[in-house]
Amino acid sequence: MQRVKCLSLMFLLWCLPIERGAIAQPCNVVLIFCDDLGYGDLGCYGSILNRTPNIDKLAAEGQRYTDFYSTSPVCTPSRASLLTGCYPRRVGLHEDATGHWVLIPRSRRGLSPEETTLPEMLKAAGYATACVGKWHLGDQIQHLPQAHGFDKYFGIPYSNDMQQAGRGDPPLPLVEQATVIEAPAEQSQLTQQYTREAVEFIENHQREPFFLYLPHTFPHLPLHASERFLGNSRNGRYGDSVEEIDWSTGEILDCLKRLGLKDNTMVIFTSDNGSNGRNGGSNAPLAGAKGSTMEGGMRVPMVVRLPGVVPAGTVCSELATTMDLLPTLVSFAEGKMPAHEIDGRDISSLLRGESGARSPHEVFYYYRRRQLQAIRWRNWKWHLPLASTFPRWNDATFKSKGRAGKLIDLETDLKEQVDVSSNHPKVMAKMRVFAKDATQDLGNEAEAGARQRQALTLDHSVPMVLP
Ligand code: MG
């Protein structure tokens, strides 16, 4: 009897460290971030053209969001939000200071080193970190991924269409850490290369917590796919590139399964902004496209899987945003939040499918460049009346048409056509208060916000890293 007890005790002692270790290690994170993938481009969001079985399976094993927003309908501001948990205007990346909306090659601007980023917070919590793909938050050394908390970087530093010789753009560089390894990059190979690098990173860091950020280059124009996928979809080159991204997702999911990491890895799949609505992309059933503050420009697909935590096969219709991923992931990692204020909110209760869980956002602001164009509160969306819809406040020669305001009920009018403002004076009164709050806090057009942390004129006079 004594011997049995002793053996039982030994067995318990043998089991405990493993069990404790399994519980103590925070979950890994794989964040797949497409470029210009529209709301209607995936099978699990209704596409009947693009075949996306791996992403659809991810949604079936996890949670799919119907009202998930990017903070901007274009690349740079959207990415700034994802990595800082703030509206772009708060971190000074809502537009470039040179008249461009996004950063262009050799820009002297980039994500400020003063900001605390998601990878920095996860790194501080003991994570290995990698960015594999398109960066677009500055191409000088102090703006590249390693300066913002990524141990590893492999990819292109900005959009794949930024090769205007007349503007002085260099051939599109493929960068490893801070070294150009190919120029111009062979775009048809990018998704394959990203996938190999991603899988290798997971394999190399399988015994420690890791954060893999995989911002794909496609389906941003110009569209490319490798030989295996080119011409194989039912949706031209757009479908080819989307189906290659689906294959890539499958490779990563297979790798996690093969290494026994499936149950302890949160996989998130989303997009930086809507599709441009041409060349095969779809934002259906939403109206509008990339570049606009209509739903099709900023509402994006989002699926997340974490077995045992995120209930499988669920759909969440609460409002959530790319800004929320920072506080949510830092909370899962048991990391430390930044000391300064952020706009993102922890959506763990939504992810866990807790009954009665509600969006942590009372209100959501749609900015286009420096202009507040729309506000969402509950099911209501107010398109503000605007004197000009494409403001270049420092360009006196620029003229554009204004527009009348309208209040939309998103529950019944996803096409955003019918103005119901006259029927809802209380909603309109609430919206005007929100507009005033946003203007005071974040700024609006030429008016600076009281709590913008980074000014638009940020200018680092240092040598540029890329040729
Ligand atoms: Mg984009």
Side-chain angles (χ1 to χ4, degrees):
M1 194 64 190
Q2 194 60 33
R3 189 162 175 265
V4 171
K5 265 188 185 169
C6 186
L7 278 174
S8 302
L9 186 65
M10 278 170 68
F11 179 74
L12 269 174
L13 288 172
W14 178 71
C15 284
L16 271 174
I18 295 173
E19 192 56 29
R20 273 169 47 209
I23 290 168
Q25 180 156 318
C27 69
N28 310 304
V29 178
V30 175
L31 171 52
I32 303 171
F33 201 59
C34 292
D35 196 349
D36 296 5
L37 182 83
Y39 192 81
D41 278 334
L42 301 173
C44 53
Y45 279 82
S47 175
I48 51 168
L49 278 176
N50 307 320
R51 292 165 299 190
T52 56
N54 292 300
I55 303 160
D56 300 346
K57 186 163 178 267
L58 189 71
E61 293 176 350
Q63 193 175 41
R64 183 172 72 81
Y65 282 71
T66 63
D67 292 50
F68 191 82
Y69 288 89
S70 158
T71 57
S72 169
V74 293
C75 301
T76 297
S78 167
R79 284 148 208 265
S81 284
L82 179 77
L83 295 189
T84 64
C86 292
Y87 280 105
R89 190 148 177 162
R90 195 175 303 286
V91 296
L93 279 178
H94 48 294
E95 61 184 41
D96 197 353
T98 58
H100 296 92
W101 194 348
V102 295
L103 297 175
I104 60 164
R106 297 165 177 261
S107 175
R108 299 172 82 82
R109 305 188 67 244
L111 181 57
S112 169
E114 292 162 24
E115 291 299 325
T116 310
T117 64
L118 172 60
E120 283 167 346
M121 284 176 252
L122 293 181
K123 196 174 161 69
Y127 279 60
T129 56
C131 171
V132 177
K134 167 178 150 176
W135 177 238
H136 215 176
L137 289 170
D139 60 28
Q140 299 177 49
I141 283 174
Q142 80 277 24
H143 295 140
L144 284 172
Q146 301 96 305
H148 288 295
F150 286 109
D151 303 324
K152 172 193 167 80
Y153 176 52
F154 180 95
I156 60 171
Y158 38 72
S159 297
N160 60 333
D161 64 342
M162 293 183 162
Q163 300 189 73
Q164 294 178 30
R167 190 169 62 186
D169 296 358
L172 184 69
L174 180 64
V175 178
E176 189 161 17
Q177 302 302 69
T179 305
V180 178
I181 57 168
E182 191 182 312
E186 175 48 56
Q187 295 204 36
S188 65
Q189 298 308 307
L190 285 177
T191 304
Q192 295 290 320
Q193 288 168 307
Y194 293 172
T195 308
R196 276 197 297 274
E197 293 288 331
V199 167
E200 188 186 296
F201 173 76
I202 295 172
E203 286 171 347
N204 290 344
H205 297 279
Q206 57 183 289
R207 299 193 201 290
E208 59 188 317
F210 61 81
F211 171 46
L212 169 65
Y213 171 48
L214 176 51
H216 277 290
T217 288
F218 303 111
H220 192 287
L221 303 178
L223 295 161
H224 290 273
S226 69
E227 205 175 322
R228 184 174 153 196
F229 291 89
L230 196 64
N232 276 352
S233 79
R234 292 171 295 187
N235 191 22
R237 279 205 176 199
Y238 192 92
D240 298 346
S241 73
V242 171
E243 292 186 6
E244 189 159 21
I245 286 172
D246 181 75
W247 163 83
S248 168
T249 306
E251 290 293 298
I252 288 162
L253 297 180
D254 284 351
C255 171
L256 294 173
K257 195 172 172 188
R258 174 167 51 85
L259 300 177
L261 300 173
K262 178 181 172 181
D263 289 347
N264 194 34
T265 303
M266 186 189 293
V267 180
I268 299 167
F269 186 100
T270 184
S271 179
D272 69 336
N273 51 255
S275 159
N276 68 16
R278 294 175 280 118
N279 305 91
S282 166
N283 300 310
L286 310 174
K290 174 183 181 180
S292 92
T293 49
M294 297 285 280
E295 293 296 288
M298 293 173 61
R299 205 194 285 200
V300 289
M302 166 16 189
V303 299
V304 55
R305 184 189 80 179
L306 179 59
V309 175
V310 176
T314 52
V315 175
C316 178
S317 294
E318 291 296 315
L319 190 154
T321 80
T322 50
M323 299 183 288
D324 304 331
L325 295 181
L326 181 147
T328 307
L329 295 176
V330 171
S331 129
F332 270 93
E334 293 168 18
K336 196 165 170 281
M337 290 295 295
H340 57 247
E341 183 196 357
I342 61 166
D343 300 298
R345 296 287 177 263
D346 187 344
I347 55 166
S348 301
S349 60
L350 299 179
L351 291 182
R352 292 180 198 280
E354 287 172 14
S355 78
R358 291 279 171 262
S359 170
H361 296 278
E362 187 186 17
V363 60
F364 176 72
Y365 299 117
Y366 305 67
Y367 274 86
R368 188 174 192 270
R369 301 189 71 146
R370 62 189 58 195
Q371 186 176 57
L372 176 67
Q373 291 202 340
I375 297 171
R376 178 165 174 183
W377 176 59
R378 299 180 181 169
N379 56 310
W380 306 104
K381 181 174 179 181
W382 183 37
H383 289 278
L384 280 73
L386 301 169
S388 156
T389 54
F390 194 62
R392 293 183 188 174
W393 63 276
N394 55 353
D395 181 354
T397 62
F398 188 84
K399 288 189 177 67
S400 74
K401 284 183 186 170
R403 71 173 188 208
K406 57 182 176 181
L407 181 71
I408 302 298
D409 181 352
L410 288 174
E411 221 159 78
T412 57
D413 184 15
L414 267 185
K415 297 290 181 202
E416 301 173 70
Q417 289 174 327
V418 184
D419 176 25
V420 294
S421 55
S422 55
N423 301 336
H424 299 279
K426 283 184 183 162
V427 176
M428 289 305 299
K430 188 94 180 158
M431 289 294 193
R432 287 190 190 97
V433 173
F434 285 135
K436 206 173 150 201
D437 289 350
T439 300
Q440 283 173 353
D441 180 8
L442 290 162
N444 189 9
E445 306 214 23
E447 193 174 329
R451 291 188 292 167
Q452 274 183 267
R453 276 201 302 279
Q454 307 296 340
L456 193 59
T457 50
L458 188 73
D459 183 2
H460 297 281
S461 301
V462 296
M464 300 187 185
V465 63
L466 299 171

